[in-house]
């Protein structure tokens, strides 16, 4: 008897399903998308109803051939791809390629990979949702039209290799706008005054100056503070009033995708990309002892907080058994999802709360266990009652001054016995909708206050003035940027991690102590795009486009009509930008400086690493100088284009000891080259002495998202004799090291490539899965796809004519000068 073919995206999911379905089914993986738009051309015919020219994804030919053979002899074909737009589109592309009989194709949807959910889905199969497919197609075409028609403008006006995107560019604008706010911020000095007071009974307590003459306290200078202190020392302190009230703190909803990403960054120091990768593993199935492979969490791409009745009932039973009946609320909490949430989905939760973290710990990696524990704790806590506090406020009168002290005592822990949501730096805790927010610092901890009566006289033990300065808004972390994207309706849960990765890979932003800081080129790109494409760069317009895609999925809008409406306006903006966008390549900013080689004026030009000083007589005179961010003019270098390195601000004050060259005694300058920061002698090219920041800074490190496989501590990036590498942060206690992965994937196994050294010290690039995978390159790979054959990267080679990029794909001879 012929078997039915079941197609899923990943081998891990296929393995798990095989154990649930029995002998009548063959389960195979498509390994993600099997078709996509080609990388080297637009492939969208805007004049013929946006007809697309899809092609098979490189490397999927053998996968498709295997699926075709299986489909030809199958009784039926079940498409069990993920329950979202991307999953629906993958199923649609599979049908286009496999061409099975229409009546033999079935769509099965399940949101947890458990035996019960899978068997229920196969008992009630449906058909592909054409509206979801249309919504995904519309998104793909929109992104292609913007990316492939705006990016060449940036290549022409700034430099090759830059890219623009319908969503990524708006996300980048958020980072740049925040940096502008920080630069424009003017810090203001202010002072607070606290009094240490004692009553007849202990303990002593602190109260802060709250009002002066019944109005707001404004103390801006030390002189003002000292004047108030002298006056306060003469006052009589007495209790004006004591009030106690009950306060409730409610649990937060179970995780949506964005909330999971934010909390993984805050609590686990895990990047959004890694968090989603680990969540995918937990969803698709993990071998759990005798139970075998089973999905531990529900589908991890969701914006809904809805939870099934069965899951709520199971959680309430578990809580009763483990914590007692008092930890089960009278009625299950109900949480309100965002307006655009797809309520057909559930929140992210464990597929069974009885698989608690301690039970599955032996079968999970450290990261898998950390993320699963976070999801499990959040879900169970969401089904528990609120925490109860007694909050006491004491007002103390001292002449025309009013001091206030607030203390909190926990009466009932409620959900806080299991879980408390993390907070972001510089962001006050904010309650979920319908809940009371933390105020007056009550969330900072509990303070015990003495028992006091109104009118009771207090003894002043100490007056404590404290100087403060208002702070600028903080730079975005991965958590706060995801939060901002979500609140502004930019992108969707499945795209947040990709957006953050793209703006980093393009060198538009860099991380400084875990916070996003725009690079010079990132700011330039945003500036040009905002001037030429103000609507595309407007977050409200982007959010509206996301709403339109939702309306297409819901059948409320026609995708072709919406595409025509968008492209009609966009094509006009594009034509204006072709002539109106500023050409930085041709821009020469004159300076008062003269070239010490030929006496011509020096001009500021744009290069690969930003601005630099160049002789206006180029190409007759090729003298260049690096333009320091402090505006100091550095000694000249005699290079062809002045783009080998860029000077950066050393951050040194005028009174700080100057770094000098160990070989010639000249000043050292901090530069940024292709491989990061380094100290170089200002006497270059006569003196070529360089020094890594590590050797001068006493082992300076950079943070990373990796964990040590030996002890579980955070790994950091260090600089050694042969470049950067990952090392355990607990060194010398733990001496684990490993190579730093590159942003280029191995063409054989798709694992990251890394730089290595041969026995003779020569650099080469190999797969991180060595010795299982032995792929190597002797030329440095660059994360730029080949426009001719679609290879995922090019390599950098030095020729007599200079540096060039070339493709190493079989039979492909593509090459171009390095930018």
């Amino acid at each position: 008897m012929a078997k039915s073919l079941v197609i899923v995206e990943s081998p891990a999911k296929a393995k798990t399903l095989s154990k649930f379905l029995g002998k009548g089914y063959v389960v195979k993986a498509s390994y993600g998308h099997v078709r996509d738009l080609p990388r080297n051309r637009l492939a969208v015919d805007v004049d013929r109803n946006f007809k697309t020219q899809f092609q098979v994804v490189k490397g999927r030919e053998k996968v498709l051939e295997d699926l075709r053979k299986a489909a030809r002899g199958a009784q039926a074909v079940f498409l069990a791809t993920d329950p979202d737009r991307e999953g629906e589109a993958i199923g649609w592309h599979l049908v286009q390629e496999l061409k099975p009989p229409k009546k033999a194709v079935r769509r099965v949807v399940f949101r947890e990979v458990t035996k019960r959910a899978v068997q229920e889905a196969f008992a009630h199969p449906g058909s592909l949702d054409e509206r979801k497919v249309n919504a995904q197609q519309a998104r793909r075409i929109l992104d292609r039209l913007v990316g492939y028609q705006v990016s060449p403008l940036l290549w022409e006006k700034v430099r090759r290799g830059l890219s623009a995107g319908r969503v990524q560019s708006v996300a980048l604008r958020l980072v740049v706008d925040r940096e502008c706010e920080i630069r424009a911020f003017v810090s203001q000095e202010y002072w607070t005054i606290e009094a240490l007071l004692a009553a007849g009974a202990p303990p002593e307590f602190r109260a802060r100056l709250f009002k002066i003459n019944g109005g707001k306290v404004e103390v801006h200078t030390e002189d003002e503070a000292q004047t108030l202190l002298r006056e306060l020392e003469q006052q009589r302190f007495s209790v004006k009033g004591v009030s106690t009230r009950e306060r409730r703190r409610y649990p937060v909803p179970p995780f949506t995708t964005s909330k999971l990403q934010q909390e993984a960054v805050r609590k686990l120091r895990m990047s959004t990309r890694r968090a989603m990768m680990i969540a995918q593993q937990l969803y698709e199935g993990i071998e759990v002892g005798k139970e075998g492979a089973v999905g531990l969490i529900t589908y991890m791409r969701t914006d809904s907080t809805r939870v099934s009745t069965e899951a709520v009932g199971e959680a309430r039973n578990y809580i009763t058994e483990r914590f007692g009946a008092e930890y089960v609320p009278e009625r299950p909490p109900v949480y309100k999802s965002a307006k655009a949430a797809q309520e057909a989905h559930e929140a992210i939760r464990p597929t069974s709360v009885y698989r608690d973290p301690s039970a599955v710990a032996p079968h999970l990696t450290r990261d898998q266990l950390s993320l699963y524990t976070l999801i499990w704790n959040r879900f169970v806590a969401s089904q528990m009652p609120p925490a109860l506090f007694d909050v006491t406020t004491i007002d103390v009168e001292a002449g025309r001054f009013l001091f206030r002290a607030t203390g909190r005592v926990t009466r009932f822990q409620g959900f806080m016995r299991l879980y408390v949501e993390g907070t972001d730096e510089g962001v006050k805790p904010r309650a979920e909708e319908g809940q009371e927010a933390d105020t007056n610092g009550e969330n900072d901890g509990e303070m015990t206050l003495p028992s006091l009566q109104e009118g009771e006289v207090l003894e002043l033990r100490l007056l404590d003035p404290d100087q403060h300065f208002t702070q600028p808004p903080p730079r975005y972390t991965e958590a706060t940027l995801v939060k901002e994207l979500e609140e502004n309706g930019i992108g969707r849960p499945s795209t947040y991690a990709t957006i953050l990765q793209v703006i980093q890979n393009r060198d538009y932003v860099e991380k400084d102590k875990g916070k996003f800081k725009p690079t010079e080129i990132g700011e330039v790109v945003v500036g040009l795009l905002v001037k030429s494409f103000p609507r595309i760069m407007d977050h409200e317009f982007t959010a509206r486009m996301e709403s339109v895609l939702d309306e297409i999925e819901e059948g409320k809008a026609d995708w072709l009509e919406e595409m025509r409406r968008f492209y009609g306006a966009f094509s006009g903006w594009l034509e204006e930008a072709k002539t109106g966008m500023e050409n930085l390549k041709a821009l020469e900013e004159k300076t008062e400086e003269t070239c010490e080689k030929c006496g011509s004026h020096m001009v500021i030009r744009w290069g690969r690493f930003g601005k630099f000083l160049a002789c206006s007589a180029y190409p007759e005179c090729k003298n260049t100088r690096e333009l320091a961010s402090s505006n100091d003019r550095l000694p000249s270098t005699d290079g062809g284009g002045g783009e080998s390195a860029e000077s950066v601000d050393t951050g040194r004050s005028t009174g700080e000891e100057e770094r000098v060259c160990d070989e010639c005694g000249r000043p050292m300058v901090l530069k940024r080259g292709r491989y990061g920061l380094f100290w170089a002698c200002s006497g270059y090219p006569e003196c070529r002495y360089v020094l890594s920041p590590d050797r001068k800074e006493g082992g300076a490190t950079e943070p990373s998202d990796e964990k040590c496989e030996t002890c579980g501590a955070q790994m950091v990036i260090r600089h050694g004799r042969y470049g950067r590498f990952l090392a355990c942060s607990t060194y010398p206690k733990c001496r684990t090291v490993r190579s730093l992965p590159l942003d280029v994937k191995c063409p054989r196994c798709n694992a990251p490539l890394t730089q290595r050294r041969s026995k003779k010290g020569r650099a080469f690039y190999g797969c991180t899965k060595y010795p299982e995978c032995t792929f190597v390159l002797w030329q440095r790979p660059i994360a730029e796809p080949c426009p001719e054959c679609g290879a995922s990267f090019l390599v950098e080679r030095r020729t007599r004519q200079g540096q060039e990029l070339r493709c190493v794909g079989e039979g492909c001879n593509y090459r171009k000068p390095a930018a």
Side-chain angles (χ1 to χ4, degrees), residues 367-393:
D367 281 351
Q368 287 173 342
L369 179 59
S370 297
L371 194 67
Y372 180 72
T373 302
L374 195 66
I375 294 168
W376 190 94
N377 285 347
R378 173 105 167 196
F379 171 66
V380 176
S382 74
Q383 303 304 310
M384 295 171 75
L388 300 179
F389 307 96
D390 282 335
V391 179
T392 300
T393 302

Side-chain angles (χ1 to χ4, degrees), residues 1 117 144 165 186 251 260 267 273 361 377 391 462 489 514 619 653 764 781:
M1 181 179 174
R144 174 54 63 100
V186 179
L260 175 62
K267 289 195 169 184
R273 184 183 183 185
N377 285 347
V391 179
L462 175 70
S653 66
F764 70 97

Side-chain angles (χ1 to χ4, degrees), residues 294-315:
V294 63
L296 295 181
I297 64 171
T298 54
Y299 192 53
M300 65 287 165
R301 295 187 180 95
T302 176
D303 49 10
S304 171
T305 58
R306 186 185 70 81
V307 178
S308 70
T309 305
E310 296 81 3
V312 170
E314 186 184 62

Side-chain angles (χ1 to χ4, degrees), residues 189-194 206 208 219 221 225-226 229 463-469:
E189 180 184 6
Y190 71 99
W191 288 71
T192 57
I193 298 175
E194 286 189 348
R206 284 182 171 267
R208 176 171 289 191
V219 185
T221 66
Q226 292 298 329
L229 290 179
L463 285 171
D464 186 11
D466 197 6
Q467 183 186 37
H468 307 272
F469 293 92

Side-chain angles (χ1 to χ4, degrees), residues 9 32-35 54 79 81-96 107 128-138 140:
E9 294 102 328
H33 281 276
V34 293
R35 294 201 313 177
F54 287 107
L79 302 173
T81 48
D82 287 346
D84 57 11
R85 290 176 191 163
E86 290 297 318
E88 212 73 19
I90 290 172
W92 181 80
H93 283 296
L94 285 167
V95 170
Q96 302 302 307
R107 175 72 165 121
L128 282 169
D129 188 336
E130 187 176 349
R131 295 180 302 185
K132 276 188 178 179
V133 174
N134 288 341
Q136 194 276 341
Q137 295 276 65
R140 189 72 186 92

